[in-house]
Amino acid sequence: MLPFRSEIRNSPSHQTIKIFLTDKSLDNKIKRHLEHFKEIEFIEIRESIGQNRADENITVFLKDGVDINKMKTSIDSSLWWYFEKDMVDE
């Protein structure tokens, strides 16, 4: 099972990237890990609503003018690095 998955969500007010973790106990650690991106406006941990979803997700709001596709790629790369490093450290 993958440690996370991410999705771009379009809403009328703001595009977001939602991150669903396999282990929701890591939500706060991952939130802190993502705070180093200067393109991120703010990050929230939210309850997920819907079928076949994790109980919670990390919702990433980007600053105006940021390319959401490039940011999703950057965030995904950073998270893969994070989880690979974490597995090596154990």
Coordinates of all heavy atoms in Angstrom, one line a residue:
M1 N 0.8 -1.2 0.0 CA 0.0 0.0 0.0 C 0.9 1.2 0.0 O 1.9 1.3 0.7 CB -0.9 0.0 1.2 CG -1.9 1.1 1.3 SD -2.9 1.1 2.7 CE -4.2 0.0 2.1
L2 N 0.5 2.2 -0.8 CA 1.3 3.4 -0.9 C 1.1 4.3 0.4 O 0.0 4.3 1.0 CB 0.8 4.3 -2.1 CG 1.1 3.6 -3.4 CD1 0.4 4.5 -4.5 CD2 2.5 3.4 -3.7
P3 N 2.1 5.0 0.8 CA 2.0 5.8 2.0 C 1.1 7.0 1.9 O 0.6 7.6 2.9 CB 3.5 6.2 2.3 CG 4.2 6.1 1.0 CD 3.5 5.1 0.3
F4 N 0.9 7.5 0.7 CA 0.0 8.6 0.5 C -0.5 8.7 -1.0 O 0.0 8.0 -1.9 CB 0.8 9.9 0.8 CG 1.8 10.3 -0.3 CD1 1.4 11.2 -1.3 CD2 3.0 9.8 -0.4 CE1 2.3 11.5 -2.3 CE2 3.9 10.1 -1.4 CZ 3.6 11.0 -2.4
R5 N -1.5 9.5 -1.2 CA -1.9 9.9 -2.5 C -2.3 11.3 -2.5 O -2.7 11.8 -1.5 CB -3.0 9.0 -3.1 CG -4.3 9.1 -2.4 CD -5.3 8.0 -3.0 NE -6.4 7.9 -2.2 CZ -7.4 8.8 -2.2 NH1 -7.4 9.8 -3.0 NH2 -8.5 8.7 -1.4
S6 N -2.2 12.0 -3.6 CA -2.5 13.4 -3.7 C -3.4 13.7 -4.9 O -3.3 12.9 -5.9 CB -1.3 14.3 -3.7 OG -0.6 14.0 -4.9
E7 N -4.3 14.7 -4.8 CA -5.2 15.0 -5.8 C -5.3 16.5 -5.9 O -5.3 17.2 -4.9 CB -6.6 14.5 -5.5 CG -6.7 13.0 -5.4 CD -8.1 12.5 -5.0 OE1 -9.0 13.4 -4.7 OE2 -8.3 11.3 -4.9
I8 N -5.4 17.0 -7.1 CA -5.7 18.4 -7.3 C -7.3 18.6 -7.3 O -8.0 17.8 -7.9 CB -5.2 19.0 -8.6 CG1 -3.7 18.9 -8.6 CG2 -5.7 20.4 -8.9 CD1 -3.0 19.3 -10.0
R9 N -7.7 19.5 -6.5 CA -9.1 19.8 -6.4 C -9.4 21.3 -6.9 O -8.7 22.2 -6.4 CB -9.6 19.7 -5.0 CG -9.6 18.3 -4.5 CD -10.6 17.4 -5.2 NE -10.5 16.0 -4.8 CZ -11.2 15.5 -3.8 NH1 -11.9 16.2 -3.1 NH2 -11.0 14.2 -3.5
N10 N -10.3 21.4 -7.7 CA -10.7 22.7 -8.2 C -12.0 23.1 -7.5 O -13.0 22.4 -7.4 CB -11.0 22.7 -9.7 CG -9.7 22.5 -10.5 OD1 -8.7 23.1 -10.2 ND2 -9.7 21.5 -11.4
S11 N -12.0 24.3 -7.0 CA -13.2 24.9 -6.4 C -13.4 26.3 -6.9 O -12.4 26.9 -7.4 CB -13.1 24.8 -4.8 OG -12.3 25.8 -4.4
P12 N -14.6 26.8 -6.8 CA -14.8 28.2 -7.3 C -13.9 29.2 -6.6 O -13.5 30.2 -7.2 CB -16.3 28.5 -6.9 CG -16.9 27.1 -6.7 CD -15.8 26.2 -6.3
S13 N -13.5 29.0 -5.3 CA -12.8 30.0 -4.6 C -11.3 29.8 -4.7 O -10.5 30.7 -4.7 CB -13.2 30.0 -3.2 OG -13.0 28.8 -2.5
H14 N -10.8 28.5 -4.7 CA -9.4 28.3 -4.6 C -9.1 26.9 -5.0 O -9.7 25.9 -4.6 CB -9.0 28.4 -3.1 CG -7.7 29.0 -2.9 ND1 -6.5 28.3 -3.0 CD2 -7.3 30.3 -2.5 CE1 -5.5 29.1 -2.8 NE2 -5.9 30.3 -2.5
Q15 N -8.0 26.7 -5.9 CA -7.5 25.4 -6.2 C -6.7 24.9 -5.0 O -6.0 25.6 -4.3 CB -6.6 25.4 -7.4 CG -7.3 25.6 -8.7 CD -6.3 25.5 -9.8 OE1 -5.2 25.9 -9.7 NE2 -6.7 24.9 -10.9
T16 N -6.9 23.6 -4.7 CA -6.2 23.0 -3.6 C -5.6 21.7 -4.0 O -5.9 21.1 -5.0 CB -7.1 22.7 -2.4 OG1 -8.1 21.8 -2.8 CG2 -7.7 24.0 -1.8
I17 N -4.6 21.2 -3.2 CA -4.1 19.9 -3.3 C -4.4 19.2 -2.0 O -4.2 19.7 -0.9 CB -2.5 19.9 -3.5 CG1 -2.2 20.7 -4.8 CG2 -2.0 18.5 -3.5 CD1 -0.7 21.0 -5.0
K18 N -5.1 18.0 -2.2 CA -5.5 17.2 -1.0 C -4.5 16.0 -1.0 O -4.3 15.4 -2.0 CB -6.9 16.8 -1.1 CG -7.9 17.9 -1.0 CD -9.2 17.4 -0.6 CE -10.2 18.6 -0.5 NZ -10.3 19.2 0.8
I19 N -4.0 15.8 0.2 CA -3.1 14.7 0.5 C -3.8 13.7 1.4 O -4.2 14.1 2.5 CB -1.8 15.2 1.0 CG1 -1.1 16.1 0.0 CG2 -0.8 14.0 1.3 CD1 0.0 17.0 0.6
F20 N -3.9 12.5 1.0 CA -4.5 11.4 1.9 C -3.4 10.5 2.3 O -2.7 9.9 1.5 CB -5.6 10.7 1.1 CG -6.7 11.6 0.6 CD1 -6.6 12.2 -0.7 CD2 -7.8 11.8 1.4 CE1 -7.6 13.0 -1.1 CE2 -8.8 12.6 0.9 CZ -8.7 13.2 -0.4
L21 N -3.2 10.4 3.6 CA -2.1 9.5 4.1 C -2.7 8.2 4.5 O -3.8 8.1 5.1 CB -1.4 10.2 5.3 CG -0.8 11.5 5.1 CD1 -0.3 12.1 6.4 CD2 0.4 11.4 4.1
T22 N -1.9 7.1 4.3 CA -2.3 5.8 4.8 C -2.3 5.8 6.3 O -3.2 5.2 6.9 CB -1.3 4.8 4.3 OG1 -1.3 4.8 2.8 CG2 -1.8 3.4 4.7
D23 N -1.4 6.4 6.9 CA -1.3 6.5 8.4 C -1.6 7.9 8.9 O -0.7 8.8 8.8 CB 0.2 6.1 8.8 CG 0.4 6.1 10.3 OD1 -0.6 6.5 11.1 OD2 1.5 5.7 10.8
K24 N -2.8 8.1 9.3 CA -3.2 9.5 9.6 C -2.5 10.0 10.9 O -2.6 11.2 11.2 CB -4.7 9.6 9.8 CG -5.3 9.0 11.0 CD -6.8 9.2 11.0 CE -7.4 8.7 12.3 NZ -8.8 9.0 12.4
S25 N -1.8 9.2 11.6 CA -1.1 9.7 12.8 C 0.1 10.6 12.3 O 0.7 11.3 13.1 CB -0.5 8.5 13.6 OG 0.5 7.8 13.0
L26 N 0.4 10.5 11.0 CA 1.5 11.3 10.5 C 1.0 12.7 10.0 O 1.8 13.5 9.5 CB 2.2 10.6 9.3 CG 2.9 9.3 9.7 CD1 3.4 8.6 8.5 CD2 4.0 9.6 10.7
D27 N -0.3 13.0 10.1 CA -0.8 14.2 9.5 C 0.0 15.5 10.0 O 0.4 16.3 9.1 CB -2.3 14.4 9.9 CG -3.2 13.5 9.1 OD1 -2.7 12.9 8.1 OD2 -4.4 13.5 9.4
N28 N 0.2 15.6 11.2 CA 0.9 16.8 11.7 C 2.4 16.9 11.3 O 2.9 17.9 11.0 CB 0.8 16.9 13.3 CG -0.6 17.4 13.7 OD1 -1.1 18.4 13.1 ND2 -1.2 16.7 14.6
K29 N 3.0 15.7 11.3 CA 4.4 15.7 10.8 C 4.5 16.1 9.4 O 5.4 16.9 9.0 CB 5.0 14.3 11.0 CG 5.4 13.9 12.4 CD 6.0 12.6 12.5 CE 6.4 12.2 13.9 NZ 7.1 10.9 14.0
I30 N 3.6 15.6 8.5 CA 3.6 15.9 7.1 C 3.3 17.4 6.9 O 3.9 18.1 6.1 CB 2.7 15.0 6.3 CG1 3.2 13.5 6.4 CG2 2.6 15.4 4.9 CD1 4.6 13.3 5.8
K31 N 2.3 17.9 7.7 CA 2.0 19.3 7.6 C 3.2 20.1 7.9 O 3.5 21.1 7.1 CB 0.8 19.6 8.6 CG 0.4 21.0 8.6 CD -0.7 21.3 9.6 CE -1.1 22.8 9.5 NZ -1.3 23.4 10.7
R32 N 3.9 19.8 8.9 CA 5.2 20.6 9.2 C 6.2 20.4 8.1 O 6.9 21.4 7.8 CB 5.7 20.2 10.6 CG 5.0 20.7 11.8 CD 5.7 20.5 13.1 NE 6.0 19.1 13.4 CZ 5.2 18.2 13.9 NH1 4.0 18.6 14.3 NH2 5.5 17.0 14.2
H33 N 6.3 19.3 7.6 CA 7.3 19.0 6.5 C 6.9 19.9 5.3 O 7.8 20.4 4.6 CB 7.2 17.5 6.1 CG 8.0 17.2 4.9 ND1 9.4 17.1 4.9 CD2 7.6 17.0 3.6 CE1 9.8 16.8 3.6 NE2 8.7 16.7 2.9
L34 N 5.7 20.1 5.0 CA 5.3 20.9 3.8 C 5.4 22.4 4.0 O 5.4 23.1 3.0 CB 3.8 20.5 3.4 CG 3.6 19.1 2.9 CD1 2.1 18.8 2.7 CD2 4.4 18.8 1.6
E35 N 5.5 22.8 5.2 CA 5.5 24.3 5.5 C 6.8 24.9 5.0 O 6.8 26.2 4.9 CB 5.4 24.5 7.0 CG 3.9 24.2 7.5 CD 3.8 24.2 9.0 OE1 4.8 24.3 9.7 OE2 2.6 24.2 9.4
H36 N 7.7 24.2 4.5 CA 8.9 24.8 3.9 C 8.7 25.4 2.5 O 9.5 26.1 2.0 CB 10.1 23.8 4.0 CG 10.1 22.8 2.9 ND1 9.4 21.6 3.0 CD2 10.7 22.8 1.7 CE1 9.6 20.9 1.9 NE2 10.4 21.6 1.1
F37 N 7.6 25.0 1.8 CA 7.4 25.5 0.5 C 6.9 26.9 0.6 O 5.8 27.2 1.1 CB 6.3 24.6 -0.2 CG 6.8 23.3 -0.7 CD1 6.5 22.1 0.0 CD2 7.4 23.2 -1.9 CE1 7.0 20.9 -0.4 CE2 7.9 21.9 -2.4 CZ 7.6 20.8 -1.6
K38 N 7.6 27.8 -0.1 CA 7.2 29.2 0.0 C 6.0 29.5 -0.9 O 5.3 30.5 -0.7 CB 8.4 30.1 -0.5 CG 8.8 29.9 -1.9 CD 10.0 30.8 -2.2 CE 10.5 30.8 -3.6 NZ 10.4 29.8 -4.5
E39 N 5.6 28.6 -1.8 CA 4.4 28.8 -2.6 C 3.1 28.5 -1.9 O 2.1 28.7 -2.5 CB 4.6 27.9 -3.9 CG 5.7 28.2 -4.8 CD 7.0 27.4 -4.4 OE1 7.0 26.8 -3.3 OE2 8.0 27.5 -5.1
I40 N 3.2 27.9 -0.7 CA 2.0 27.5 0.0 C 1.5 28.6 0.9 O 2.3 29.2 1.6 CB 2.3 26.2 0.8 CG1 2.5 25.0 -0.1 CG2 1.1 26.0 1.8 CD1 2.9 23.8 0.7
E41 N 0.2 29.0 0.7 CA -0.4 30.0 1.5 C -0.6 29.5 2.9 O -0.3 30.1 3.9 CB -1.7 30.5 0.9 CG -2.4 31.6 1.6 CD -1.7 32.9 1.2 OE1 -1.2 33.1 0.1 OE2 -1.8 33.8 2.1
F42 N -1.4 28.4 3.0 CA -1.6 27.7 4.3 C -2.0 26.3 4.1 O -2.3 25.9 3.0 CB -2.6 28.5 5.2 CG -4.0 28.6 4.7 CD1 -4.9 27.7 5.1 CD2 -4.3 29.6 3.8 CE1 -6.2 27.8 4.7 CE2 -5.6 29.7 3.3 CZ -6.6 28.8 3.8
I43 N -1.9 25.5 5.2 CA -2.2 24.1 5.2 C -3.2 23.8 6.3 O -3.0 24.3 7.4 CB -0.9 23.3 5.4 CG1 0.1 23.6 4.4 CG2 -1.2 21.8 5.4 CD1 1.5 23.1 4.7
E44 N -4.2 23.0 6.0 CA -5.2 22.5 7.0 C -5.3 21.0 7.0 O -5.2 20.4 6.0 CB -6.6 23.1 6.7 CG -6.7 24.6 6.9 CD -8.1 25.0 6.6 OE1 -8.9 24.3 6.0 OE2 -8.5 26.1 6.9
I45 N -5.6 20.5 8.2 CA -5.9 19.1 8.3 C -7.5 19.1 8.5 O -8.0 19.7 9.4 CB -5.3 18.4 9.5 CG1 -3.7 18.4 9.3 CG2 -5.8 17.0 9.7 CD1 -3.0 17.9 10.5
R46 N -8.1 18.4 7.5 CA -9.6 18.4 7.5 C -10.1 17.0 7.5 O -9.5 16.1 7.1 CB -10.0 19.1 6.2 CG -9.7 20.5 6.0 CD -10.2 21.0 4.7 NE -10.3 22.4 4.7 CZ -10.8 23.1 3.7 NH1 -11.3 22.5 2.6 NH2 -10.8 24.4 3.7
E47 N -11.4 16.9 8.0 CA -12.1 15.7 7.9 C -12.5 15.4 6.5 O -13.0 16.3 5.8 CB -13.3 15.8 8.9 CG -14.1 14.5 9.0 CD -15.2 14.6 10.0 OE1 -15.1 15.3 11.0 OE2 -16.3 14.0 9.7
S48 N -12.4 14.2 6.0 CA -12.8 13.9 4.7 C -14.2 13.4 4.7 O -14.7 12.7 5.6 CB -11.9 12.7 4.1 OG -10.6 13.2 3.9
I49 N -14.9 13.8 3.6 CA -16.3 13.4 3.4 C -16.3 12.7 2.1 O -15.8 13.2 1.1 CB -17.2 14.6 3.4 CG1 -17.1 15.3 4.8 CG2 -18.6 14.2 3.2 CD1 -17.8 16.6 4.9
G50 N -17.0 11.5 2.0 CA -17.1 10.8 0.8 C -16.8 9.3 0.9 O -16.1 8.9 1.9
Q51 N -17.2 8.6 0.0 CA -16.9 7.1 0.0 C -15.5 6.9 -0.4 O -14.8 7.6 -1.1 CB -17.8 6.4 -1.0 CG -19.3 6.4 -0.6 CD -20.1 5.6 -1.6 OE1 -19.9 5.8 -2.8 NE2 -20.9 4.7 -1.1
N52 N -15.0 5.8 0.2 CA -13.6 5.3 -0.1 C -12.5 6.3 0.1 O -11.6 6.4 -0.7 CB -13.6 4.8 -1.6 CG -14.5 3.7 -1.8 OD1 -14.8 2.8 -1.0 ND2 -15.2 3.7 -3.0
R53 N -12.7 7.1 1.1 CA -11.7 8.2 1.4 C -11.1 7.9 2.8 O -11.8 7.3 3.7 CB -12.4 9.6 1.4 CG -12.9 10.0 0.1 CD -11.8 10.6 -0.7 NE -12.4 11.1 -1.9 CZ -11.8 11.0 -3.1 NH1 -10.6 10.5 -3.1 NH2 -12.3 11.5 -4.2
A54 N -10.0 8.5 3.0 CA -9.4 8.4 4.4 C -10.3 9.3 5.3 O -11.0 10.1 4.8 CB -8.0 8.9 4.3
D55 N -10.1 9.1 6.6 CA -10.9 9.9 7.6 C -10.5 11.3 7.5 O -11.3 12.2 7.8 CB -10.7 9.4 9.0 CG -11.3 8.0 9.2 OD1 -12.2 7.6 8.4 OD2 -10.9 7.3 10.1
E56 N -9.3 11.6 7.2 CA -8.7 13.0 7.2 C -7.9 13.2 6.0 O -7.5 12.2 5.3 CB -7.8 13.2 8.4 CG -8.5 13.2 9.8 CD -7.6 13.4 10.9 OE1 -6.4 13.3 10.8 OE2 -8.1 13.7 12.0
N57 N -7.7 14.4 5.7 CA -6.8 14.8 4.6 C -6.0 16.1 5.0 O -6.5 16.8 5.8 CB -7.5 14.9 3.2 CG -8.4 16.1 3.2 OD1 -8.0 17.3 3.1 ND2 -9.7 15.9 3.3
I58 N -4.9 16.3 4.3 CA -4.2 17.5 4.4 C -4.5 18.3 3.2 O -4.3 17.9 2.1 CB -2.7 17.2 4.5 CG1 -2.4 16.3 5.7 CG2 -1.9 18.5 4.6 CD1 -1.0 15.8 5.8
T59 N -5.1 19.5 3.4 CA -5.5 20.4 2.3 C -4.5 21.5 2.2 O -4.2 22.2 3.2 CB -6.9 20.9 2.5 OG1 -7.8 19.8 2.7 CG2 -7.3 21.8 1.4
V60 N -3.9 21.6 1.0 CA -2.8 22.6 0.8 C -3.4 23.7 -0.1 O -3.9 23.5 -1.2 CB -1.6 22.0 0.1 CG1 -0.5 23.0 -0.2 CG2 -1.0 20.8 1.0
F61 N -3.3 25.0 0.4 CA -3.8 26.1 -0.3 C -2.6 26.9 -0.8 O -1.7 27.2 -0.1 CB -4.6 27.1 0.6 CG -5.9 26.4 1.0 CD1 -5.9 25.7 2.2 CD2 -7.1 26.7 0.4 CE1 -7.1 25.1 2.6 CE2 -8.3 26.1 0.8 CZ -8.3 25.3 1.9
L62 N -2.5 27.1 -2.1 CA -1.4 27.8 -2.7 C -1.6 29.3 -2.9 O -2.7 29.8 -2.9 CB -1.1 27.2 -4.1 CG -0.9 25.7 -4.2 CD1 -0.8 25.2 -5.6 CD2 0.3 25.3 -3.4
K63 N -0.5 30.0 -2.9 CA -0.5 31.4 -3.1 C -1.0 31.7 -4.6 O -0.9 30.9 -5.5 CB 0.8 32.1 -2.9 CG 1.3 32.0 -1.5 CD 2.7 32.6 -1.3 CE 3.1 32.5 0.1 NZ 4.4 33.0 0.4
D64 N -1.6 32.9 -4.8 CA -2.0 33.3 -6.1 C -0.9 33.2 -7.1 O 0.2 33.6 -6.9 CB -2.6 34.7 -6.1 CG -3.9 34.8 -5.3 OD1 -4.6 33.8 -5.2 OD2 -4.3 35.9 -4.8
G65 N -1.3 32.8 -8.3 CA -0.3 32.7 -9.4 C 0.6 31.5 -9.5 O 1.5 31.4 -10.4
V66 N 0.5 30.6 -8.5 CA 1.4 29.4 -8.5 C 0.8 28.4 -9.4 O -0.4 28.1 -9.4 CB 1.5 28.9 -7.0 CG1 2.3 27.6 -7.0 CG2 2.2 30.0 -6.1
D67 N 1.6 27.7 -10.2 CA 1.2 26.6 -11.1 C 0.9 25.4 -10.2 O 1.8 24.8 -9.6 CB 2.3 26.3 -12.1 CG 1.9 25.3 -13.1 OD1 1.2 24.3 -12.7 OD2 2.3 25.4 -14.3
I68 N -0.4 25.0 -10.1 CA -0.8 23.9 -9.2 C -0.2 22.6 -9.7 O 0.1 21.7 -8.9 CB -2.3 23.9 -9.1 CG1 -2.7 23.0 -7.9 CG2 -3.0 23.4 -10.4 CD1 -4.1 23.2 -7.3
N69 N -0.1 22.4 -11.0 CA 0.4 21.1 -11.5 C 1.9 21.0 -11.1 O 2.3 19.9 -10.7 CB 0.3 21.0 -13.0 CG -1.2 20.9 -13.4 OD1 -1.9 20.1 -12.9 ND2 -1.6 21.8 -14.3
K70 N 2.7 22.0 -11.2 CA 4.1 22.0 -10.8 C 4.2 21.8 -9.3 O 5.1 21.0 -8.9 CB 4.8 23.2 -11.3 CG 5.1 23.3 -12.7 CD 5.8 24.6 -13.1 CE 6.0 24.7 -14.6 NZ 6.7 25.9 -15.0
M71 N 3.4 22.4 -8.6 CA 3.4 22.3 -7.1 C 3.0 20.9 -6.7 O 3.6 20.3 -5.8 CB 2.5 23.3 -6.4 CG 3.2 24.6 -6.2 SD 4.8 24.5 -5.3 CE 4.3 23.8 -3.8
K72 N 2.0 20.3 -7.3 CA 1.7 18.9 -7.0 C 2.9 18.0 -7.2 O 3.2 17.1 -6.4 CB 0.5 18.4 -7.8 CG 0.1 17.0 -7.4 CD -1.1 16.5 -8.2 CE -1.5 15.1 -7.9 NZ -0.5 14.1 -8.0
T73 N 3.6 18.2 -8.4 CA 4.7 17.4 -8.7 C 5.8 17.6 -7.6 O 6.4 16.6 -7.1 CB 5.3 17.7 -10.1 OG1 4.3 17.4 -11.0 CG2 6.5 16.9 -10.4
S74 N 6.1 18.8 -7.2 CA 7.1 19.1 -6.2 C 6.7 18.5 -4.8 O 7.5 18.0 -4.1 CB 7.2 20.6 -6.0 OG 7.8 21.2 -7.2
I75 N 5.4 18.6 -4.5 CA 5.0 18.1 -3.2 C 5.1 16.6 -3.2 O 5.6 16.0 -2.2 CB 3.5 18.6 -2.9 CG1 3.6 20.0 -2.5 CG2 2.9 17.7 -1.8 CD1 2.2 20.7 -2.4
D76 N 4.6 15.9 -4.3 CA 4.7 14.5 -4.4 C 6.2 14.0 -4.3 O 6.5 13.1 -3.5 CB 4.1 14.0 -5.7 CG 2.6 14.0 -5.7 OD1 2.0 14.3 -4.7 OD2 2.0 13.8 -6.8
S77 N 7.1 14.7 -5.0 CA 8.5 14.3 -4.9 C 9.0 14.5 -3.5 O 9.8 13.6 -3.0 CB 9.3 15.2 -5.8 OG 9.0 15.0 -7.2
S78 N 8.7 15.6 -2.8 CA 9.1 15.8 -1.5 C 8.6 14.7 -0.5 O 9.3 14.3 0.4 CB 8.7 17.2 -1.0 OG 9.1 17.5 0.3
L79 N 7.3 14.3 -0.7 CA 6.8 13.3 0.2 C 7.4 12.0 -0.1 O 7.6 11.2 0.9 CB 5.2 13.3 0.0 CG 4.5 14.5 0.6 CD1 3.0 14.3 0.2 CD2 4.7 14.6 2.1
W80 N 7.7 11.6 -1.4 CA 8.4 10.4 -1.6 C 9.7 10.4 -0.9 O 10.1 9.4 -0.4 CB 8.5 10.1 -3.1 CG 7.2 9.6 -3.7 CD1 6.5 10.2 -4.7 CD2 6.5 8.4 -3.4 NE1 5.4 9.4 -4.9 CE2 5.4 8.3 -4.1 CE3 6.8 7.3 -2.5 CZ2 4.5 7.2 -4.1 CZ3 5.9 6.3 -2.4 CH2 4.8 6.2 -3.2
W81 N 10.4 11.5 -1.0 CA 11.7 11.6 -0.4 C 11.5 11.4 1.2 O 12.3 10.7 1.8 CB 12.4 13.0 -0.7 CG 13.6 13.2 0.1 CD1 14.9 12.8 -0.2 CD2 13.7 13.9 1.4 NE1 15.7 13.2 0.8 CE2 15.1 13.8 1.8 CE3 12.8 14.5 2.2 CZ2 15.5 14.4 3.0 CZ3 13.2 15.0 3.4 CH2 14.6 15.0 3.8
Y82 N 10.5 12.0 1.7 CA 10.3 12.0 3.2 C 10.0 10.5 3.6 O 10.6 10.0 4.6 CB 9.0 12.8 3.5 CG 8.7 12.7 5.0 CD1 9.2 13.6 5.9 CD2 7.7 11.8 5.4 CE1 8.8 13.6 7.2 CE2 7.4 11.7 6.7 CZ 7.9 12.6 7.7 OH 7.6 12.5 9.0
F83 N 9.2 9.8 2.8 CA 8.9 8.4 3.2 C 10.0 7.5 3.0 O 10.3 6.6 3.8 CB 7.6 7.9 2.5 CG 6.4 8.5 3.2 CD1 5.6 9.5 2.5 CD2 5.9 8.1 4.4 CE1 4.5 10.0 3.1 CE2 4.8 8.6 5.0 CZ 4.1 9.6 4.4
E84 N 10.8 7.7 1.9 CA 12.0 6.8 1.7 C 13.0 7.1 2.8 O 13.6 6.1 3.3 CB 12.6 7.2 0.3 CG 11.8 6.6 -0.8 CD 12.3 7.0 -2.2 OE1 13.4 7.6 -2.3 OE2 11.6 6.7 -3.2
K85 N 13.2 8.3 3.2 CA 14.2 8.6 4.2 C 13.7 8.0 5.6 O 14.5 7.4 6.3 CB 14.3 10.2 4.4 CG 15.2 10.6 5.5 CD 15.2 12.1 5.6 CE 15.9 12.7 6.8 NZ 15.2 12.3 8.0
D86 N 12.4 8.1 5.8 CA 11.8 7.6 7.1 C 12.0 6.1 7.1 O 12.3 5.5 8.2 CB 10.4 8.0 7.2 CG 9.8 7.8 8.6 OD1 10.5 8.1 9.5 OD2 8.7 7.2 8.7
M87 N 11.9 5.4 6.0 CA 12.0 3.9 6.0 C 13.5 3.5 6.2 O 13.7 2.5 6.9 CB 11.5 3.4 4.7 CG 10.0 3.4 4.6 SD 9.5 2.7 3.0 CE 7.9 3.5 2.8
V88 N 14.4 4.3 5.7 CA 15.8 4.0 5.9 C 16.2 4.3 7.3 O 17.0 3.5 7.9 CB 16.7 4.9 4.9 CG1 18.1 4.8 5.2 CG2 16.4 4.5 3.5
D89 N 15.7 5.3 8.0 CA 16.0 5.6 9.3 C 15.6 4.6 10.3 O 16.1 4.5 11.5 CB 15.5 7.0 9.7 CG 16.2 8.1 9.0 OD1 17.3 7.9 8.5 OD2 15.6 9.2 9.0
E90 N 14.6 3.7 10.0 CA 14.0 2.8 11.0 C 15.0 1.6 11.2 O 15.7 1.2 10.5 CB 12.7 2.3 10.5 CG 11.6 3.3 10.5 CD 10.3 2.8 10.1 OE1 10.2 1.7 9.5 OE2 9.3 3.5 10.4

